[in-house]
Amino acid sequence: MTEEEKIFEQALKQARRTITFASILIVTAVIFTVQLTYFPRFFSAPDKNITVLDTSAVDPMLVTMNLNPDEIENGIHTPTGLIVDDGVDIVIRTCGACHSLDLVTQNKADRKGWKDIIVWMQETQGLWDLGATEDVILTYLAKNYAPVDEGRRRNLEVTEWYEL
């Protein structure tokens, strides 16, 4: 191989490296531009004032109407077991994001009790600030999963006796 051929081969290798590097830069720039255009918040720092589910401008009844009517039986949303009422969809999305909704249906508390549970989850379990949705959630839970004071057990009603 002559000296000229060696120089030509080195120049060719350098040209290939330069073209590869330029191609990578162009592809990166295109991806960055697409991300910036279609997903502008992708490159920004998270705003701590934004709530995950800010439905303050949404009427809770309209949100509830998004449930599939075929999945509602006797006022219960059968996939979740929750009572269908104003705000149930918000409760499904918010509470169900972290744990089973059985935890909601098996507990009973008044509004203050539910608020205490939410505060406990925020302090110890990493629950985010619920913002405007907190009032909707508390109203739903206090209305549908409040403690029921039944007092003493009802007397048994025996309609038919049999001999032993």
Side-chain angles (χ1 to χ4, degrees), residues 68-98:
N68 183 351
D70 296 335
E71 296 177 335
I72 299 171
E73 216 173 280
N74 298 323
I76 304 292
H77 183 241
T78 52
T80 61
L82 293 176
I83 297 168
V84 177
D85 200 357
D86 292 348
V88 68
D89 194 48
I90 295 169
V91 171
I92 290 170
R93 287 183 287 140
T94 305
C95 301
C98 297

Side-chain angles (χ1 to χ4, degrees), residues 5-6 23 25 29 43 47 54 62-63 72 78 85 117 124 126 130 135 137-138 140 159 162:
E5 289 174 337
K6 287 181 184 178
S23 299
L25 280 179
F43 295 102
D47 186 355
D54 185 9
L62 294 176
V63 175
I72 299 171
T78 52
D85 200 357
I117 292 170
T124 63
L130 299 175
D135 186 55
I137 292 168
L138 286 172
Y140 172 83
T159 56
Y162 58 94

Side-chain angles (χ1 to χ4, degrees), residues 8-101:
F8 179 75
E9 194 169 311
Q10 286 178 346
L12 192 59
K13 279 185 182 179
Q14 185 62 36
R16 286 184 188 140
R17 285 185 194 141
T18 304
I19 290 171
T20 303
F21 181 72
S23 299
I24 291 171
L25 280 179
I26 290 170
V27 168
T28 304
V30 168
I31 291 172
F32 180 78
T33 304
V34 168
Q35 285 283 0
L36 195 57
T37 303
Y38 293 104
F39 308 103
R41 294 186 59 198
F42 182 80
F43 295 102
S44 63
D47 186 355
K48 298 195 185 237
N49 295 326
I50 295 177
T51 57
V52 173
L53 295 172
D54 185 9
T55 58
S56 58
V58 178
D59 180 60
M61 188 58 190
L62 294 176
V63 175
T64 302
M65 294 174 80
N66 288 332
L67 298 178
N68 183 351
D70 296 335
E71 296 177 335
I72 299 171
E73 216 173 280
N74 298 323
I76 304 292
H77 183 241
T78 52
T80 61
L82 293 176
I83 297 168
V84 177
D85 200 357
D86 292 348
V88 68
D89 194 48
I90 295 169
V91 171
I92 290 170
R93 287 183 287 140
T94 305
C95 301
C98 297
H99 57 72
S100 167
L101 293 169

